[in-house]
Amino acid sequence: MNNKTLEKYLDKYLNVSNFSDYCPNGLQVEGKSDISKIIAGVSANQDLIERAIDEQADALFVHHGFFWKNESSVITGIKRNRIKALLDNNINLFAYHLPLDAHPIVGNNIQLAMRFNIQNPEPIGDTLVWQGEVDSTLEDVAQSVQSITQRTPLVFGPKRKSIKKITWCSGGAQSYIEHAIDVGADCFITGEVSEQIPAICKENDIAFISAGHHATERYGVQALCQHLSQEFALDYQYIDIDNIV
Ligand SMILES: [Zn+2]
């Protein structure tokens, strides 16, 4: 599979042009033109790149790539090390951020809904937050989050609280809790948490589960690469670089 052809396919499949993002979505570092082995991971850090080199990957697919709007644009220090390792080994780096959160089939949020058994999942208007239904208690929802992510979540709210309308957003979306409150949700699940969140939740009578930024964003890139592997007969592997945040 040609790398540029693959990028064109993904531009369309993930609707890249519809998003105004904090980073470029697509081929971020160009490697060899012919791709047969792809590796998926959450973040393009040195550990993941070294594993991709060990596995002789032709392309690495991540949710968190390089060239974020708020970072320095020079290629020095660890950024130089990461990019040099990719270029020296001719590995293509493809990164998809917001398009991979929002996609209706392989997106992080729909993939979470499937795993958490949430009914009627859909985005709340044009926000990045999703809503759906369960018939459960906070204790049971938290238990299911724990068993799926294999990680102990931080949970705020009464254990016996009835959870019917549930909202969620993968990653570091704690500041989007206002969208969950606006739709009258019983619970909001995201990856990270900030100091003011417990009080905001208590005062708005909404439960909150911080399930891990990395843990909530493992599934989209896996679903995407499984799709590519089936569509184009590519050899595919997911590599998890453990991250407790
Ligand atoms: Zn993220």
Side-chain angles (χ1 to χ4, degrees):
M1 182 76 193
N2 176 270
N3 57 352
K4 300 291 175 59
T5 312
L6 192 55
E7 187 187 30
K8 272 203 195 92
Y9 172 82
L10 284 165
D11 275 353
K12 200 168 163 206
Y13 182 68
L14 294 173
N15 238 322
V16 166
S17 62
N18 267 20
F19 294 86
S20 147
D21 209 333
Y22 321 101
C23 62
N25 286 291
L27 183 58
Q28 289 193 339
V29 178
E30 188 178 346
K32 64 188 73 168
S33 57
D34 193 41
I35 294 174
S36 58
K37 172 151 191 175
I38 62 173
I39 284 186
V42 178
S43 304
N45 53 44
Q46 195 72 36
D47 283 349
L48 179 66
I49 293 167
E50 298 298 336
R51 291 286 306 277
I53 294 168
D54 289 347
E55 299 295 338
Q56 298 182 304
D58 302 317
L60 179 58
F61 284 80
V62 294
H63 184 52
H64 303 132
F66 303 147
F67 314 118
W68 298 91
K69 268 182 189 158
N70 58 359
E71 76 180 26
S72 164
S73 53
V74 299
I75 301 177
T76 56
I78 65 166
K79 189 151 81 174
R80 177 254 186 197
N81 298 341
R82 292 170 176 185
I83 292 172
K84 183 175 191 305
L86 289 167
L87 290 174
D88 283 351
N89 290 279
N90 241 335
I91 297 175
N92 293 277
L93 177 71
F94 290 88
Y96 294 96
H97 184 235
L98 295 182
L100 190 54
D101 288 323
H103 193 269
I105 299 165
V106 300
N108 280 315
N109 287 310
I110 189 73
Q111 290 288 323
L112 287 176
M114 287 158 54
R115 285 169 177 79
F116 298 156
N117 248 321
I118 296 171
Q119 305 303 306
N120 304 315
E122 58 170 15
I124 300 175
D126 57 4
T127 76
L128 300 170
V129 177
W130 284 54
Q131 61 184 347
E133 290 127 39
V134 292
D135 187 6
S136 191
T137 61
L138 179 57
E139 188 173 29
D140 288 346
V141 172
Q143 185 52 52
S144 128
V145 168
Q146 175 155 351
S147 70
I148 286 152
T149 60
Q150 292 294 299
R151 176 189 180 283
T152 310
L154 265 176
V155 182
F156 309 129
K159 278 184 180 178
R160 300 254 145 248
K161 181 178 172 63
S162 160
I163 309 293
K164 293 196 186 298
K165 181 157 198 157
I166 193 159
T167 51
W168 67 100
C169 184
S170 69
Q174 62 270 46
S175 65
Y176 296 156
I177 190 163
E178 61 192 80
H179 300 307
I181 293 165
D182 283 349
V183 295
D186 301 309
C187 182
F188 180 54
I189 304 174
T190 187
E192 295 191 37
V193 64
S194 305
E195 191 274 344
Q196 65 272 32
I197 294 291
I200 291 174
C201 292
K202 189 174 175 202
E203 291 163 37
N204 285 287
D205 189 24
I206 182 170
F208 184 95
I209 299 179
S210 168
H213 189 139
H214 177 91
T216 55
E217 296 195 324
R218 283 178 194 137
Y219 307 107
V221 74
Q222 291 184 64
L224 176 67
C225 286
Q226 270 158 12
H227 167 81
L228 294 177
S229 132
Q230 283 160 12
E231 198 76 11
F232 303 111
L234 301 171
D235 186 4
Y236 155 70
Q237 186 184 347
Y238 170 67
I239 293 178
D240 197 72
I241 302 297
D242 190 41
N243 185 338
I244 60 166
V245 178

